[in-house]
Amino acid sequence: MVNKMSEKKAEAEQPLIDAKGRRADGRKLDELRPIKLQVGNLSRADGSAYIEHGRNKIVAAVYGPRELHPRHLAQSDRVLLRVIYRMATFSVSDRKRPAPSRREHEISMVLRQALEPMLFLKMYPRAVIDVFIMVLEADGGSRCASVTAASLALADAGIPMRGLVAGVAAGKIDGKVVLDLSDIEDKIGDADVPLAMAPDRGEITLLQMDGKLTPAEFSEALRMGEEGIHQIQEMQRAVLLEKYAQIREKIGEDKDAPKEMEEKPEEEPKVTKKRIKRAKTEKKDAKPKTTKKSKSSKTKDEGSETKE
Amino acid sequence: MSIHFEQQDIVVPGQLLAEGDFRNGDGAYKEQEKVFASVIGVAKMKGKTVYVVPLKGQYIPKVRDIIIGNVVEVTLNGWLLDFHSPYPAMLPVMHALSRRDAVHAKENLRRYYDIGETVVAEIIAADRTRDPLVTTLGRGLGKVRGGMLLTIIPTRVPRLIGRKGSMINMLKSDLQIDIVVGQNGIVWVKGNPKRMKIATEAIRQIEREAHTSGLTDRVRDFINQKLAELNGE
């Protein structure tokens, strides 16, 4: 792409940044494209999210943690995270061939690595969490928008996470560092830096670069990206909360009313102890005349339970 | 020491809940003296423990839970149950049949539980390194016949049961039907078809509004209204 840059640039009639410092779509240098987020839009998935980021339209679906097939892929100490990024054939102007391309494989892997550090993988050993990402319409920065959507979908599925990740690209066009490259800026610009972060934790989970930047420009791009990600993160939180706030609002509940949620946590442990103690004594007392076979077989199990 | 939420607030993963001398319960994690939420849910604090009651999530088998599952496989020494969890449950003959029956059972286990049948079982061992073990020996356990099954989000089951069973007992007594709630989010309902329909709607309402307050009263009103309509016909 870099080699073709000069010819392509010649083709472009207008400069990417005009005299007033505005970009082709009227944005300022550090302005994001309009972003729309939705959550829980697929009823059959365990968690789902939809994002419109500029002209990107992307759906993410999460299934799991669920039983893993084929079994030999299971990891005995952690859950397997499978991410599949796929572009619809109609997502770009030249029909994309439906077979998974090299690029789709790569992005799937990159996205998996961007999401994995945020999950508590050891909580569900031997199982799998599937994340499917479908690009319905592609603009620049679809991998970054995919991270944003996938992380929302994971949260919507109720999968425990350290935090939400969001993504945005920074880059360089017409010699200036800018935020959130559009398709055209990505193609004829000088450099593209896709970035995904958990901003509150200050952790970067995805960072790539295409093109050339000086160290100073790179730092500037990173700073700008982080700024943008902070904004996106706020939107992510808002949309997750909104889903449940709406229901509360509809009922018109008053916040001070006494609330009752969950039932047992307090009593349960006591009962267990008593049961186990009783089970033990029963066992000692020379097998109580097979009083209900259910009891006797249970006794054994509960005895073994205590060892665990 | 500071707390960054109010009781019953809905929180999202990664949200800072408290700083300082606090412990993290379920749905929260602690890093460098800070407690964060790890799931989307309702944040609460009890003593020094900060926890989040999740609004969504898969069912993870826990010992002594009652579950409802479907027989998916009959093996040489037992059955495999699917109960909407990442792990299938094993029901060995030893924990399913009395010793007298077990002797005869060797020929054909399908006589007792066949593929596709629904079973209420209790988990007797579960540690995630192996598939959970269940038993059907015990009161109220075993095959279910008739009625219908509902599936709800497992994390909202506690709300359907209510504090000390208040919600579920109200449903049972007001509607005069049988209900068995599996901790895995599968609910079995049996009774008069018209009353079952009311129960279904009520259960759906509880599931949808699990994170709100005053739910028991709203559900009671709903049931009374529907019952009045039913009797008026």
Side-chain angles (χ1 to χ4, degrees):
Chain A
M1 218 199 305
V2 186
N3 317 349
K4 286 185 192 161
M5 235 164 47
S6 44
E7 330 161 16
K8 273 204 178 159
K9 206 164 187 174
E11 275 169 37
E13 287 158 29
Q14 285 170 318
L16 289 168
I17 302 177
D18 68 14
K20 286 181 207 150
R22 295 268 166 178
R23 294 202 251 164
D25 49 10
R27 279 187 292 155
K28 285 180 272 181
L29 298 187
D30 60 350
E31 194 177 337
L32 291 168
R33 286 173 288 179
I35 296 175
K36 197 178 109 189
L37 297 172
Q38 270 173 23
V39 103
N41 42 340
L42 303 177
S43 58
R44 301 309 300 274
D46 292 320
S48 57
Y50 171 73
I51 182 171
E52 285 182 23
H53 187 144
R55 267 179 36 247
N56 282 305
K57 293 188 176 65
I58 299 166
V59 189
V62 169
Y63 297 85
R66 60 179 176 181
E67 237 182 296
L68 173 56
H69 291 287
R71 274 281 164 77
H72 71 266
L73 294 175
Q75 293 159 300
S76 51
D77 64 335
R78 68 188 61 204
V79 68
L80 176 71
L81 180 67
R82 281 194 294 212
V83 178
I84 292 177
Y85 165 99
R86 192 60 59 76
M87 285 169 77
T89 51
F90 48 81
S91 62
V92 278
S93 45
D94 289 337
R95 182 181 126 96
K96 189 215 148 268
R97 304 197 62 203
S101 63
R102 197 213 92 254
R103 178 178 171 277
E104 283 166 314
H105 276 298
E106 180 199 312
I107 293 182
S108 299
M109 184 202 71
V110 164
L111 292 180
R112 192 190 75 232
Q113 291 171 349
L115 297 168
E116 226 164 29
M118 287 299 115
L119 300 179
F120 295 93
L121 294 173
K122 307 234 161 149
M123 280 184 77
Y124 306 105
R126 302 184 298 132
V128 62
I129 297 172
D130 279 312
V131 181
F132 299 106
I133 297 161
M134 177 59 91
V135 180
L136 302 177
E137 192 174 334
D139 197 359
S142 75
R143 74 189 66 191
C144 299
S146 297
V147 173
T148 310
S151 137
L152 265 183
L154 283 167
D156 181 48
I159 293 167
M161 302 166 80
R162 280 176 245 273
L164 296 167
V165 257
V168 76
K172 184 173 150 191
I173 54 172
D174 287 356
K176 288 208 171 92
V177 179
V178 295
L179 180 65
D180 198 8
L181 300 178
S182 68
D183 193 39
I184 182 95
E185 289 170 338
D186 180 18
K187 285 196 172 115
I188 62 181
D190 307 321
D192 173 27
V193 184
L195 171 70
M197 284 185 79
D200 291 343
R201 302 170 59 83
E203 285 173 11
I204 295 174
T205 62
L206 182 159
L207 179 60
Q208 296 179 304
M209 184 163 91
D210 180 10
K212 281 181 188 163
L213 289 176
T214 66
E217 283 168 340
F218 178 76
S219 310
E220 171 65 5
L222 215 55
R223 193 199 57 75
M224 234 180 212
E226 188 173 350
E227 193 61 39
I229 284 173
H230 267 291
Q231 292 175 38
I232 299 173
Q233 177 111 86
E234 282 316 305
M235 294 183 222
Q236 282 180 310
R237 288 187 171 162
V239 72
L240 276 175
L241 293 177
E242 190 195 4
K243 182 177 167 187
Y244 295 100
Q246 269 176 358
I247 298 174
R248 270 190 176 172
E249 224 165 80
K250 210 161 72 190
I251 293 152
E253 85 173 3
D254 67 298
K255 263 206 122 188
D256 307 318
K259 330 228 165 167
E260 354 92 49
M261 188 124 179
E262 96 234 33
E263 8 75 277
K264 34 184 192 177
E266 296 121 81
E267 294 157 54
E268 193 76 22
K270 277 186 214 156
V271 181
T272 321
K273 257 185 214 159
K274 235 187 258 166
R275 271 278 284 273
I276 291 170
K277 216 191 261 170
R278 196 183 63 207
K280 271 186 181 165
T281 48
E282 255 176 46
K283 217 175 181 182
K284 249 186 262 167
D285 296 350
K287 281 140 222 158
K289 308 150 218 155
T290 356
T291 40
K292 269 178 256 156
K293 287 191 180 124
S294 61
K295 270 266 174 62
S296 66
S297 69
K298 235 183 196 172
T299 316
K300 273 180 217 156
D301 306 313
E302 272 166 358
S304 64
E305 220 178 279
T306 43
K307 276 181 225 152
E308 284 171 14
Chain B
M1 289 247 305
S2 53
I3 301 162
H4 299 270
F5 72 100
E6 282 178 37
Q7 292 276 352
Q8 307 289 338
D9 269 359
I10 296 177
V11 294
V12 298
Q15 189 170 330
L16 179 62
L17 298 181
E19 279 172 277
D21 185 22
F22 294 101
R23 274 174 306 178
N24 63 302
D26 287 349
Y29 68 98
K30 193 172 177 182
E31 250 172 32
Q32 289 153 14
E33 296 303 299
K34 289 178 181 172
V35 178
F36 300 91
S38 67
V39 293
I40 178 157
V42 180
K44 296 192 178 192
M45 172 134 67
K46 190 177 278 171
K48 290 260 168 205
T49 308
V50 179
Y51 62 101
V52 180
V53 180
L55 281 163
K56 264 188 147 185
Q58 291 290 326
Y59 172 71
I60 298 302
K62 220 168 81 233
V63 174
R64 300 185 48 70
D65 273 359
I66 303 289
I67 55 133
I68 300 180
N70 246 322
V71 178
V72 287
E73 207 175 310
V74 182
T75 65
L76 281 176
N77 53 6
W79 298 263
L80 277 183
L81 304 184
D82 169 37
F83 61 112
H84 296 195
S85 158
Y87 314 101
M90 290 194 308
L91 172 60
V93 173
M94 191 178 108
H95 296 301
L97 305 176
S98 65
R99 207 157 289 169
R100 192 187 54 220
D101 283 346
V103 176
H104 303 294
K106 281 293 166 203
E107 312 105 56
N108 192 5
L109 288 181
R110 289 192 174 198
R111 264 173 43 202
Y112 300 92
Y113 300 124
D114 204 353
I115 289 171
E117 288 181 329
T118 304
V119 175
V120 181
E122 181 181 339
I123 298 178
I124 49 179
D127 62 5
R128 295 190 203 183
T129 61
R130 269 186 271 163
D131 289 338
L133 215 58
V134 297
T135 177
T136 55
L137 295 172
R139 249 181 61 140
L141 306 181
K143 200 192 289 187
V144 297
R145 293 181 182 83
M148 58 185 268
L149 295 172
L150 289 173
T151 306
I152 66 168
I153 298 171
T155 57
R156 302 184 189 179
V157 165
R159 209 61 220 275
L160 174 57
I161 292 170
R163 183 168 285 170
K164 292 192 179 148
S166 60
M167 183 78 84
I168 198 69
N169 288 336
M170 181 189 76
L171 285 176
K172 280 190 206 167
S173 60
D174 286 11
L175 288 167
Q176 294 169 332
I177 55 173
D178 268 350
I179 305 178
V180 177
V181 184
Q183 290 294 328
N184 57 335
I186 301 180
V187 184
W188 176 76
V189 187
K190 186 176 183 181
N192 173 311
K194 282 184 180 151
R195 285 163 186 267
M196 253 160 60
K197 186 162 177 280
I198 301 174
T200 314
E201 286 170 29
I203 291 169
R204 288 280 166 240
Q205 182 187 9
I206 296 165
E207 184 190 18
R208 194 171 55 245
E209 300 173 5
H211 59 296
T212 62
S213 63
L215 186 53
T216 316
D217 292 335
R218 275 202 308 284
V219 174
R220 183 178 290 122
D221 291 346
F222 172 80
I223 291 176
N224 288 340
Q225 183 205 330
K226 286 285 174 181
L227 277 178
E229 281 173 28
L230 198 66
N231 294 332
E233 269 173 25

